[in-house]
Amino acid sequence: PPLIVTIDGVAASGKSSVSSGVARALGVPYLSSGLLYRAATLLGLEAGADLSEAAVLEALHTHPVRLEPLAQGNRVWQGERDLTADLHSTAVDHGVSVVAVLPGVREWVNAQLREVAPPFVAEGRDMGTAVFPQAPAKFYLTASPRVRAGRRAQERPEDVDAIEAALIRRDELDRVQSAPAPDAVVIDTGPLDLAGVIGAILERVVA
Ligand code: C5P
C-alpha cells in the first residue's frame, strides 16, 4: 500500500517543520491536522458564540474549510479566503484545546484527512493512534517545556515564561488524544536540530 508516515507529538515540538522536511525529502505532501483544529477554532471565535460543539459545527457547515496539503507548508482555505495567517494567534492558541475535545469536531477533522489519497506524512497528536493506525512508520516527538517555549518565543511576540506556561496548560488539556502509539518511535528533539530530527526519521523510513 502507498506509504503513510505519522508524526505526532506535544505542542511546539517541531512537528510541522519536521513533517515538511520529511515530506519534501520523500517527495510527498504532509497533512497538518492541527491547522484544521485551529481553523475550526477561528471560525467558532468569529461566529462570536461560545465555543460549543453546535456553534463550531454550524460555522464549519456554513463556511466550509479546505486543507491544501503543500509539502512546503499547509494552507487552509475558506472559499477564496486564506485563513492560514490567522491560525497561530494567541486567541486561537488558547481556544483550540477546548474545541479539539469536541467529538463532532474530531470527526470532522478525521474525515477531511481520510479523504486524502496516500502517500503522505500526517502530523498531529493522534495520527498514529486514532486516524491512521495502519501506518507502517510512526514517530512521536517530545522536548522539555523550556526547550519548546524557547523555540516558540522566536515566532511569537510573547515572553518565554508566558509561552512555557501556556504550553504546559495545552499539553495537559491535550493529554487524552496525545498518547504515543505503542509502535511509534519516540524522539526527544531537545538535543537535536531540525536536520537531525528529519535525518533520524528518514533513516528509519527509507531503510
Ligand atoms: O499541532 P498544533 O499545536 O498546531 O495543534 C493545535 C491544537 O489542535 C492542539 O493543541 C490540540 O488541541 C489540537 N490537535 C488535536 N489533535 C491533533 C492535532 C491537533 O487535538 N491530531
Side-chain angles (χ1 to χ4, degrees):
L3 183 64
I4 297 178
V5 177
T6 62
I7 301 180
D8 290 306
V10 290
S13 55
K15 295 185 302 295
S16 56
S17 308
V18 168
S19 299
S20 172
V22 169
R24 278 180 290 172
L26 295 173
V28 303
Y30 83 96
L31 309 179
S32 167
S33 55
L35 277 192
L36 288 172
Y37 286 103
R38 289 173 177 278
T41 306
L42 179 68
L43 294 204
L45 291 170
E46 287 184 347
D50 53 339
L51 291 173
S52 72
E53 181 160 39
V56 174
L57 292 178
E58 166 70 18
L60 288 170
H61 186 74
T62 320
H63 310 282
V65 156
R66 177 174 64 82
L67 182 71
E68 186 182 17
L70 304 171
Q72 64 271 28
N74 280 204
R75 308 206 74 80
V76 180
W77 297 86
Q78 180 191 60
E80 297 294 294
R81 179 183 169 207
D82 185 348
L83 303 180
T84 318
D86 297 329
L87 298 179
H88 285 93
S89 67
T90 302
V92 171
D93 279 354
H94 285 169
V96 66
S97 297
V98 172
V99 171
V101 298
L102 304 171
V105 173
R106 300 204 75 79
E107 277 166 34
W108 173 79
V109 169
N110 295 351
Q112 300 244 28
L113 298 171
R114 291 190 182 117
E115 268 173 26
V116 181
F120 53 70
V121 175
E123 173 251 301
R125 300 290 186 291
D126 59 349
M127 298 300 99
T129 50
V131 188
F132 302 113
Q134 77 281 17
K138 301 182 184 179
F139 300 90
Y140 193 92
L141 307 186
T142 64
S144 72
R146 197 65 191 174
V147 165
R148 291 183 280 136
R151 291 178 186 155
R152 262 292 137 97
Q154 295 168 4
E155 314 164 346
R156 299 277 202 287
E158 266 184 271
D159 137 282
V160 68
D161 293 320
I163 295 176
E164 184 178 9
L167 285 176
I168 290 171
R169 175 176 165 276
R170 195 141 68 87
D171 286 351
E172 181 54 30
L173 293 171
D174 292 340
R175 202 165 40 83
V176 170
Q177 70 267 33
S178 300
D183 52 344
V185 175
V186 178
I187 300 176
D188 178 3
T189 69
L192 300 171
D193 63 8
L194 179 60
V197 182
I198 293 169
I201 291 177
L202 287 174
E203 194 169 275
R204 290 177 170 86
V205 172
V206 181

